[in-house]
Amino acid sequence: MRCRGGMEWSCSGMEFKNLRVYQPDGTFRTGGLTISGDRIAAAQSSADACDMDGLYAIPGLVDIHFHGCAGHDLCEGTHAALAAMARYQAEHGICAICPATVALPEEELCSIMEAAASYETGRRDAALAGVNLEGPFLAESRRGAQNGAYLQKPDAALFRRLQEKAQGLIRLCEIAPELPGALDMISELSGEVRLSLAHTDADYDTACEAFRRGARQVTHLFNAMAPMTHREPGLIGAALDHDRVGVELITDGAHVHPAAVRAAFRLFENRIILVSDSMSATGAADGRYTLGGIEITAENGRATVNNGHTLAGSVANLFDCMRGAVGMGVPLGQAVRSAATNPARAIGIQYDYGSLEPGKLANILLLDEDLNINAVILRGQIID
Protein backbone atom coordinates (compact mmCIF):
# COMPACT_ATOMS: atom_id res chain seq x y z
CA MET A 1 0.00 0.00 0.00
CA ARG A 2 1.54 3.33 -1.07
CA CYS A 3 0.44 6.70 0.26
CA ARG A 4 0.23 9.98 -1.67
CA GLY A 5 3.61 11.08 -0.32
CA GLY A 6 5.29 8.01 -1.79
CA MET A 7 5.82 6.18 1.52
CA GLU A 8 5.21 2.45 1.32
CA TRP A 9 2.94 1.04 4.03
CA SER A 10 3.91 -2.51 4.93
CA CYS A 11 0.37 -3.62 5.71
CA SER A 12 -2.80 -4.56 3.87
CA GLY A 13 -5.49 -3.90 6.48
CA MET A 14 -7.02 -0.74 7.91
CA GLU A 15 -5.41 -0.80 11.33
CA PHE A 16 -2.88 1.90 12.14
CA LYS A 17 -0.59 2.69 15.06
CA ASN A 18 1.91 5.38 15.99
CA LEU A 19 -0.29 8.25 14.83
CA ARG A 20 -0.79 11.67 16.36
CA VAL A 21 -4.57 11.46 16.54
CA TYR A 22 -6.75 14.57 16.71
CA GLN A 23 -9.11 14.77 19.69
CA PRO A 24 -12.45 16.65 19.73
CA ASP A 25 -11.04 19.19 22.20
CA GLY A 26 -8.35 20.21 19.71
CA THR A 27 -5.48 18.26 21.26
CA PHE A 28 -3.53 15.31 19.82
CA ARG A 29 -2.66 12.00 21.42
CA THR A 30 -0.25 9.33 20.23
CA GLY A 31 -2.13 6.15 19.42
CA GLY A 32 -3.88 4.16 16.74
CA LEU A 33 -7.05 3.82 14.72
CA THR A 34 -8.90 0.78 13.47
CA ILE A 35 -11.38 0.94 10.58
CA SER A 36 -14.17 -1.55 9.90
CA GLY A 37 -16.12 -1.02 6.70
CA ASP A 38 -16.86 2.68 6.40
CA ARG A 39 -16.63 3.41 10.15
CA ILE A 40 -13.99 3.97 12.79
CA ALA A 41 -14.15 0.82 14.89
CA ALA A 42 -11.76 1.71 17.68
CA ALA A 43 -9.40 4.45 18.79
CA GLN A 44 -6.68 1.87 19.31
CA SER A 45 -4.84 -0.82 17.37
CA SER A 46 -3.00 -4.12 17.82
CA ALA A 47 0.74 -4.63 17.87
CA ASP A 48 0.83 -5.76 14.23
CA ALA A 49 -1.00 -2.68 12.94
CA CYS A 50 0.56 -0.54 10.25
CA ASP A 51 3.19 1.76 11.80
CA MET A 52 2.52 5.32 10.58
CA ASP A 53 5.73 6.82 11.96
CA GLY A 54 4.09 9.72 13.77
CA LEU A 55 1.86 11.11 11.01
CA TYR A 56 -0.98 13.38 12.08
CA ALA A 57 -4.45 11.85 11.79
CA ILE A 58 -7.21 14.44 11.51
CA PRO A 59 -10.87 14.12 10.49
CA GLY A 60 -11.93 14.89 6.95
CA LEU A 61 -12.79 18.56 6.65
CA VAL A 62 -16.32 19.94 6.22
CA ASP A 63 -16.86 23.05 4.06
CA ILE A 64 -20.25 24.64 4.71
CA HIS A 65 -19.72 27.75 2.60
CA PHE A 66 -18.24 27.57 -0.89
CA HIS A 67 -19.71 28.21 -4.31
CA GLY A 68 -17.61 26.16 -6.67
CA CYS A 69 -14.27 24.67 -7.65
CA ALA A 70 -12.63 22.74 -10.50
CA GLY A 71 -14.25 25.03 -13.05
CA HIS A 72 -17.81 24.38 -11.83
CA ASP A 73 -20.39 26.03 -9.59
CA LEU A 74 -23.40 24.85 -7.60
CA CYS A 75 -25.58 27.31 -9.51
CA GLU A 76 -25.04 25.41 -12.76
CA GLY A 77 -27.73 23.18 -11.30
CA THR A 78 -26.44 19.94 -12.80
CA HIS A 79 -25.31 16.60 -11.44
CA ALA A 80 -22.15 16.85 -13.54
CA ALA A 81 -21.15 20.08 -11.81
CA LEU A 82 -21.86 18.62 -8.36
CA ALA A 83 -19.84 15.50 -9.18
CA ALA A 84 -16.83 17.48 -10.43
CA MET A 85 -16.89 19.66 -7.31
CA ALA A 86 -17.32 16.70 -4.96
CA ARG A 87 -14.43 14.80 -6.57
CA TYR A 88 -12.08 17.80 -6.31
CA GLN A 89 -13.04 18.39 -2.68
CA ALA A 90 -12.44 14.78 -1.64
CA GLU A 91 -9.03 14.78 -3.31
CA HIS A 92 -8.12 17.79 -1.18
CA GLY A 93 -9.28 16.38 2.13
CA ILE A 94 -12.78 17.86 2.30
CA CYS A 95 -15.08 14.90 2.91
CA ALA A 96 -18.46 16.64 3.36
CA ILE A 97 -19.70 19.71 1.53
CA CYS A 98 -22.54 22.21 1.84
CA PRO A 99 -22.16 24.41 -1.27
CA ALA A 100 -23.75 27.85 -1.43
CA THR A 101 -26.00 29.56 -3.90
CA VAL A 102 -25.96 33.24 -4.80
CA ALA A 103 -28.93 35.53 -5.29
CA LEU A 104 -30.89 34.33 -8.32
CA PRO A 105 -34.52 34.30 -9.49
CA GLU A 106 -36.74 31.79 -7.71
CA GLU A 107 -37.11 29.62 -10.81
CA GLU A 108 -33.34 29.15 -11.07
CA LEU A 109 -32.98 28.51 -7.34
CA CYS A 110 -35.70 25.86 -7.57
CA SER A 111 -33.80 24.07 -10.36
CA ILE A 112 -30.61 24.15 -8.28
CA MET A 113 -32.44 22.65 -5.30
CA GLU A 114 -34.01 19.92 -7.41
CA ALA A 115 -30.60 18.96 -8.82
CA ALA A 116 -29.09 18.81 -5.33
CA ALA A 117 -31.99 16.76 -3.94
CA SER A 118 -31.69 14.14 -6.71
CA TYR A 119 -27.89 13.95 -6.69
CA GLU A 120 -26.20 10.76 -5.49
CA THR A 121 -22.69 11.00 -4.05
CA GLY A 122 -20.06 8.99 -5.91
CA ARG A 123 -17.85 6.46 -4.17
CA ARG A 124 -14.74 8.64 -4.40
CA ASP A 125 -16.47 11.97 -3.83
CA ALA A 126 -17.18 14.24 -0.88
CA ALA A 127 -20.67 13.71 0.51
CA LEU A 128 -23.25 16.36 -0.34
CA ALA A 129 -24.34 17.09 3.24
CA GLY A 130 -26.49 20.12 2.54
CA VAL A 131 -27.03 23.35 0.64
CA ASN A 132 -26.32 26.86 1.88
CA LEU A 133 -28.87 29.46 0.69
CA GLU A 134 -26.71 32.58 0.41
CA GLY A 135 -29.11 35.02 -1.15
CA PRO A 136 -31.54 36.41 -1.98
CA PHE A 137 -32.26 37.87 1.49
CA LEU A 138 -29.25 40.21 1.62
CA ALA A 139 -28.71 43.97 1.93
CA GLU A 140 -27.96 45.94 -1.23
CA SER A 141 -25.50 48.11 0.70
CA ARG A 142 -23.29 45.08 1.46
CA ARG A 143 -24.05 42.85 -1.50
CA GLY A 144 -20.40 42.49 -2.53
CA ALA A 145 -20.29 40.22 -5.59
CA GLN A 146 -23.96 39.26 -5.28
CA ASN A 147 -26.18 40.37 -8.16
CA GLY A 148 -28.34 43.21 -6.83
CA ALA A 149 -31.01 42.58 -9.46
CA TYR A 150 -31.97 39.35 -7.68
CA LEU A 151 -31.99 40.46 -4.04
CA GLN A 152 -35.37 40.10 -2.31
CA LYS A 153 -36.99 41.01 0.97
CA PRO A 154 -37.02 38.21 3.55
CA ASP A 155 -39.80 35.77 2.76
CA ALA A 156 -40.36 32.62 4.83
CA ALA A 157 -42.79 31.27 2.24
CA LEU A 158 -40.12 31.52 -0.48
CA PHE A 159 -37.63 29.72 1.75
CA ARG A 160 -40.11 26.92 2.35
CA ARG A 161 -40.82 26.54 -1.37
CA LEU A 162 -37.09 26.17 -1.98
CA GLN A 163 -36.71 23.78 0.93
CA GLU A 164 -39.48 21.63 -0.49
CA LYS A 165 -37.66 21.45 -3.82
CA ALA A 166 -34.46 20.58 -1.94
CA GLN A 167 -36.27 17.86 0.03
CA GLY A 168 -34.98 19.32 3.27
CA LEU A 169 -31.37 19.67 2.12
CA ILE A 170 -31.01 23.39 2.88
CA ARG A 171 -28.93 23.44 6.08
CA LEU A 172 -28.10 27.16 6.17
CA CYS A 173 -30.08 30.26 5.22
CA GLU A 174 -28.34 33.63 5.19
CA ILE A 175 -30.16 36.85 5.94
CA ALA A 176 -29.53 40.55 6.59
CA PRO A 177 -31.48 41.19 9.82
CA GLU A 178 -32.10 44.91 9.21
CA LEU A 179 -34.27 44.24 6.15
CA PRO A 180 -38.06 44.68 6.52
CA GLY A 181 -39.55 41.44 7.84
CA ALA A 182 -36.16 39.84 8.56
CA LEU A 183 -36.57 39.52 12.32
CA ASP A 184 -40.01 37.97 11.93
CA MET A 185 -38.59 35.53 9.38
CA ILE A 186 -35.83 34.57 11.82
CA SER A 187 -38.40 33.92 14.54
CA GLU A 188 -40.51 31.82 12.19
CA LEU A 189 -37.71 29.71 10.73
CA SER A 190 -35.31 29.34 13.67
CA GLY A 191 -36.55 25.83 14.40
CA GLU A 192 -36.35 24.73 10.75
CA VAL A 193 -32.91 25.81 9.52
CA ARG A 194 -29.71 27.36 10.85
CA LEU A 195 -29.86 31.10 10.16
CA SER A 196 -26.69 33.09 9.52
CA LEU A 197 -26.44 36.89 9.48
CA ALA A 198 -24.85 37.95 6.22
CA HIS A 199 -24.17 40.83 3.80
CA THR A 200 -25.53 43.28 6.32
CA ASP A 201 -25.23 46.77 7.78
CA ALA A 202 -27.00 45.70 10.98
CA ASP A 203 -26.14 47.66 14.10
CA TYR A 204 -25.41 46.05 17.47
CA ASP A 205 -29.00 46.16 18.76
CA THR A 206 -30.51 44.73 15.58
CA ALA A 207 -27.98 41.89 15.49
CA CYS A 208 -28.58 41.13 19.18
CA GLU A 209 -32.31 40.91 18.51
CA ALA A 210 -31.69 38.56 15.58
CA PHE A 211 -29.64 36.29 17.85
CA ARG A 212 -32.32 36.47 20.54
CA ARG A 213 -34.86 35.30 17.97
CA GLY A 214 -32.76 32.34 16.91
CA ALA A 215 -30.02 33.27 14.42
CA ARG A 216 -26.94 31.22 15.31
CA GLN A 217 -24.19 32.13 12.86
CA VAL A 218 -22.30 35.00 11.22
CA THR A 219 -21.28 34.66 7.58
CA HIS A 220 -17.60 35.35 6.70
CA LEU A 221 -16.67 37.47 9.71
CA PHE A 222 -15.33 40.97 8.86
CA ASN A 223 -16.41 40.70 5.21
CA ALA A 224 -19.63 42.28 3.86
CA MET A 225 -20.50 43.89 7.19
CA ALA A 226 -19.85 47.12 9.07
CA PRO A 227 -16.56 47.17 11.01
CA MET A 228 -16.49 47.00 14.80
CA THR A 229 -15.62 50.30 16.47
CA HIS A 230 -15.56 51.38 20.11
CA ARG A 231 -18.85 53.30 19.79
CA GLU A 232 -20.56 51.14 17.17
CA PRO A 233 -19.66 47.50 17.83
CA GLY A 234 -22.14 46.30 15.20
CA LEU A 235 -22.61 42.67 14.24
CA ILE A 236 -19.12 41.66 15.35
CA GLY A 237 -19.69 43.01 18.85
CA ALA A 238 -23.12 41.40 19.03
CA ALA A 239 -21.66 38.01 18.08
CA LEU A 240 -19.03 38.38 20.79
CA ASP A 241 -21.77 38.86 23.36
CA HIS A 242 -23.71 35.72 22.32
CA ASP A 243 -21.84 32.55 23.22
CA ARG A 244 -24.08 30.25 21.15
CA VAL A 245 -23.24 32.01 17.89
CA GLY A 246 -20.63 30.57 15.52
CA VAL A 247 -18.65 32.79 13.16
CA GLU A 248 -17.28 31.88 9.75
CA LEU A 249 -13.77 33.00 8.83
CA ILE A 250 -11.95 32.88 5.49
CA THR A 251 -8.21 32.40 5.98
CA ASP A 252 -7.11 32.43 2.35
CA GLY A 253 -4.72 35.35 2.89
CA ALA A 254 -6.86 37.76 0.86
CA HIS A 255 -10.08 38.19 2.83
CA VAL A 256 -8.70 38.80 6.34
CA HIS A 257 -5.30 40.08 7.47
CA PRO A 258 -3.31 37.55 9.55
CA ALA A 259 -3.39 39.87 12.57
CA ALA A 260 -7.19 40.00 12.36
CA VAL A 261 -7.28 36.19 12.03
CA ARG A 262 -5.25 35.82 15.22
CA ALA A 263 -7.48 38.38 16.96
CA ALA A 264 -10.62 36.51 15.87
CA PHE A 265 -9.33 33.23 17.29
CA ARG A 266 -8.49 34.92 20.58
CA LEU A 267 -11.87 36.66 20.78
CA PHE A 268 -14.11 33.82 19.62
CA GLU A 269 -11.90 30.91 20.74
CA ASN A 270 -13.79 27.72 19.90
CA ARG A 271 -16.61 29.33 17.90
CA ILE A 272 -14.70 29.83 14.66
CA ILE A 273 -15.91 27.95 11.57
CA LEU A 274 -13.35 28.02 8.79
CA VAL A 275 -14.88 28.24 5.32
CA SER A 276 -13.30 28.67 1.92
CA ASP A 277 -16.00 30.70 0.11
CA SER A 278 -14.31 29.31 -2.99
CA MET A 279 -15.62 29.94 -6.48
CA SER A 280 -15.25 27.98 -9.70
CA ALA A 281 -11.68 29.16 -10.42
CA THR A 282 -10.43 27.18 -7.40
CA GLY A 283 -8.36 24.33 -8.75
CA ALA A 284 -8.57 25.81 -12.26
CA ALA A 285 -6.60 28.33 -14.30
CA ASP A 286 -6.65 32.09 -13.82
CA GLY A 287 -9.08 33.85 -16.13
CA ARG A 288 -12.64 35.12 -16.45
CA TYR A 289 -15.51 33.38 -14.70
CA THR A 290 -19.10 34.20 -13.75
CA LEU A 291 -20.87 34.13 -10.39
CA GLY A 292 -24.60 34.75 -10.36
CA GLY A 293 -24.40 36.50 -13.71
CA ILE A 294 -21.53 38.77 -12.63
CA GLU A 295 -18.18 38.53 -14.40
CA ILE A 296 -15.30 37.60 -12.09
CA THR A 297 -11.57 37.83 -12.69
CA ALA A 298 -9.36 35.22 -11.02
CA GLU A 299 -5.74 36.25 -10.92
CA ASN A 300 -2.75 35.95 -8.57
CA GLY A 301 -4.67 34.18 -5.84
CA ARG A 302 -7.64 36.57 -5.78
CA ALA A 303 -11.10 36.55 -7.33
CA THR A 304 -12.63 40.00 -7.86
CA VAL A 305 -15.38 41.70 -9.78
CA ASN A 306 -14.11 43.70 -12.71
CA ASN A 307 -13.25 46.85 -10.81
CA GLY A 308 -10.64 44.76 -8.99
CA HIS A 309 -11.59 46.13 -5.57
CA THR A 310 -14.42 43.82 -4.49
CA LEU A 311 -13.57 40.24 -3.59
CA ALA A 312 -15.82 37.62 -5.16
CA GLY A 313 -15.16 34.55 -3.08
CA SER A 314 -11.76 32.87 -2.90
CA VAL A 315 -9.61 30.64 -5.05
CA ALA A 316 -8.49 28.49 -2.10
CA ASN A 317 -10.02 25.24 -0.90
CA LEU A 318 -10.72 24.59 2.77
CA PHE A 319 -7.55 22.54 3.31
CA ASP A 320 -5.56 25.50 1.96
CA CYS A 321 -7.41 27.75 4.40
CA MET A 322 -6.73 25.43 7.34
CA ARG A 323 -3.03 25.37 6.51
CA GLY A 324 -3.17 29.11 5.99
CA ALA A 325 -4.58 29.61 9.48
CA VAL A 326 -1.74 27.56 10.96
CA GLY A 327 0.72 29.66 8.98
CA MET A 328 -0.85 32.77 10.53
CA GLY A 329 -0.16 31.48 14.03
CA VAL A 330 -3.29 29.47 14.87
CA PRO A 331 -2.46 26.21 16.70
CA LEU A 332 -3.03 23.15 14.50
CA GLY A 333 -5.61 21.58 16.81
CA GLN A 334 -7.64 24.77 16.87
CA ALA A 335 -7.46 25.08 13.08
CA VAL A 336 -8.61 21.46 12.63
CA ARG A 337 -11.48 21.95 15.06
CA SER A 338 -12.55 25.04 13.10
CA ALA A 339 -12.38 23.23 9.74
CA ALA A 340 -13.93 19.91 10.77
CA THR A 341 -15.57 19.69 14.20
CA ASN A 342 -17.28 23.08 14.32
CA PRO A 343 -18.73 23.09 10.79
CA ALA A 344 -20.08 19.56 11.25
CA ARG A 345 -21.88 20.68 14.40
CA ALA A 346 -23.15 23.83 12.70
CA ILE A 347 -25.12 21.89 10.09
CA GLY A 348 -26.11 19.00 12.33
CA ILE A 349 -23.93 16.21 10.91
CA GLN A 350 -21.66 15.82 13.95
CA TYR A 351 -22.79 12.24 14.57
CA ASP A 352 -21.01 11.08 11.42
CA TYR A 353 -18.42 13.81 10.77
CA GLY A 354 -15.99 16.14 12.45
CA SER A 355 -13.91 13.90 14.73
CA LEU A 356 -12.21 10.51 14.88
CA GLU A 357 -14.38 8.87 17.53
CA PRO A 358 -15.47 5.22 17.20
CA GLY A 359 -18.72 4.86 15.28
CA LYS A 360 -18.19 7.86 13.05
CA LEU A 361 -17.51 7.65 9.34
CA ALA A 362 -13.89 6.78 8.62
CA ASN A 363 -13.00 10.08 6.92
CA ILE A 364 -9.36 10.53 7.86
CA LEU A 365 -6.51 12.68 6.58
CA LEU A 366 -2.95 11.58 7.26
CA LEU A 367 -0.57 14.54 7.27
CA ASP A 368 3.18 14.87 7.61
CA GLU A 369 5.01 17.36 9.82
CA ASP A 370 4.66 20.08 7.14
CA LEU A 371 0.90 19.42 6.86
CA ASN A 372 1.15 17.82 3.44
CA ILE A 373 -1.52 15.21 2.75
CA ASN A 374 -0.02 11.71 2.70
CA ALA A 375 -3.37 9.95 2.35
CA VAL A 376 -7.10 10.62 2.25
CA ILE A 377 -9.28 7.86 3.68
CA LEU A 378 -12.85 8.48 2.53
CA ARG A 379 -15.59 6.40 4.15
CA GLY A 380 -13.03 3.69 4.93
CA GLN A 381 -11.35 3.62 1.52
CA ILE A 382 -7.99 5.16 0.58
CA ILE A 383 -8.36 7.42 -2.45
CA ASP A 384 -5.44 8.36 -4.70
Side-chain angles (χ1 to χ4, degrees):
M1 185 187 303
R2 185 178 296 276
C3 70
R4 184 178 299 185
M7 183 175 70
E8 190 74 31
W9 296 346
S10 58
C11 57
S12 58
M14 296 297 279
E15 191 176 6
F16 307 106
K17 65 182 180 181
N18 195 14
L19 287 165
R20 286 181 280 184
V21 182
Y22 169 82
Q23 305 298 296
D25 64 358
T27 61
F28 290 85
R29 67 160 180 81
T30 299
L33 289 170
T34 300
I35 297 170
S36 177
D38 65 351
R39 299 277 165 172
I40 297 172
Q44 57 188 11
S45 57
S46 63
D48 59 353
C50 184
D51 191 328
M52 303 311 294
D53 197 28
L55 291 177
Y56 288 107
I58 69 171
L61 307 188
V62 179
D63 198 346
I64 65 173
H65 187 161
F66 78 102
H67 297 277
C69 55
H72 293 278
D73 189 285
L74 171 68
C75 292
E76 292 174 36
T78 67
H79 289 177
L82 286 167
M85 291 160 54
R87 176 65 54 86
Y88 170 88
Q89 297 283 9
E91 290 172 350
H92 292 82
I94 300 99
C95 296
I97 55 175
C98 182
T101 66
V102 292
L104 289 168
E106 180 177 352
E107 182 179 353
E108 291 185 46
L109 290 172
C110 283
S111 295
I112 293 163
M113 299 305 157
E114 288 174 339
S118 59
Y119 174 74
E120 295 184 6
T121 297
R123 183 178 63 86
R124 297 170 57 84
D125 302 342
L128 181 64
V131 173
N132 180 340
L133 187 67
E134 186 183 16
F137 311 125
L138 310 175
E140 169 66 32
S141 60
R142 294 284 178 176
R143 66 182 177 87
Q146 296 276 346
N147 193 327
Y150 303 133
L151 298 179
Q152 297 189 39
K153 294 179 180 179
D155 184 345
L158 171 56
F159 168 81
R160 288 181 172 132
R161 291 195 296 272
L162 295 173
Q163 185 70 294
E164 183 178 5
K165 296 291 185 181
Q167 297 180 28
L169 200 59
I170 301 176
R171 299 274 188 168
L172 279 168
C173 178
E174 310 196 16
I175 186 169
E178 72 272 27
L179 296 178
L183 293 175
D184 289 339
M185 179 176 169
I186 291 170
S187 296
E188 186 172 348
L189 296 180
S190 63
E192 300 178 27
V193 67
R194 187 172 174 96
L195 294 154
S196 186
L197 305 190
H199 291 267
T200 172
D201 262 322
D203 60 18
Y204 174 86
D205 290 334
T206 302
C208 285
E209 180 63 15
F211 295 139
R212 188 189 71 78
R213 294 190 182 213
R216 287 293 177 264
Q217 194 159 307
V218 174
T219 297
H220 41 54
L221 187 72
F222 303 124
N223 297 112
M225 65 187 63
M228 179 182 183
T229 70
H230 62 298
R231 289 195 178 95
E232 296 182 1
L235 173 56
I236 299 169
L240 276 169
D241 283 347
H242 289 78
D243 292 342
R244 296 178 63 189
V245 172
V247 296
E248 298 177 4
L249 192 65
I250 308 170
T251 53
D252 64 338
H255 279 78
V256 183
H257 189 281
V261 169
R262 291 189 290 273
F265 272 92
R266 291 189 185 105
L267 290 169
F268 289 95
E269 296 183 327
N270 300 329
R271 293 193 276 148
I272 299 284
I273 300 167
L274 291 182
V275 299
S276 70
D277 199 19
S278 70
M279 46 84 67
S280 54
T282 303
D286 283 356
R288 298 291 180 89
Y289 295 83
T290 60
L291 184 67
I294 294 177
E295 191 170 85
I296 305 298
T297 299
E299 188 176 24
N300 299 324
R302 292 167 60 92
T304 62
V305 295
N306 279 339
N307 62 21
H309 299 297
T310 301
L311 290 171
S314 82
V315 292
N317 61 54
L318 184 58
F319 187 83
D320 294 332
C321 291
M322 186 195 74
R323 285 187 60 172
V326 174
M328 295 174 189
V330 177
L332 176 60
Q334 198 168 15
V336 173
R337 178 166 47 198
S338 299
T341 308
N342 292 352
R345 288 174 178 163
I347 63 170
I349 60 171
Q350 69 271 25
Y351 301 106
D352 283 328
Y353 298 90
S355 67
L356 300 178
E357 298 165 281
K360 293 195 176 184
L361 286 170
N363 294 319
I364 305 168
L365 310 185
L366 301 180
L367 313 179
D368 65 19
E369 193 73 31
D370 297 321
L371 306 186
N372 299 307
I373 296 177
N374 272 252
V376 175
I377 300 174
L378 180 68
R379 297 183 291 276
Q381 299 294 317
I382 297 173
I383 64 172
D384 299 321

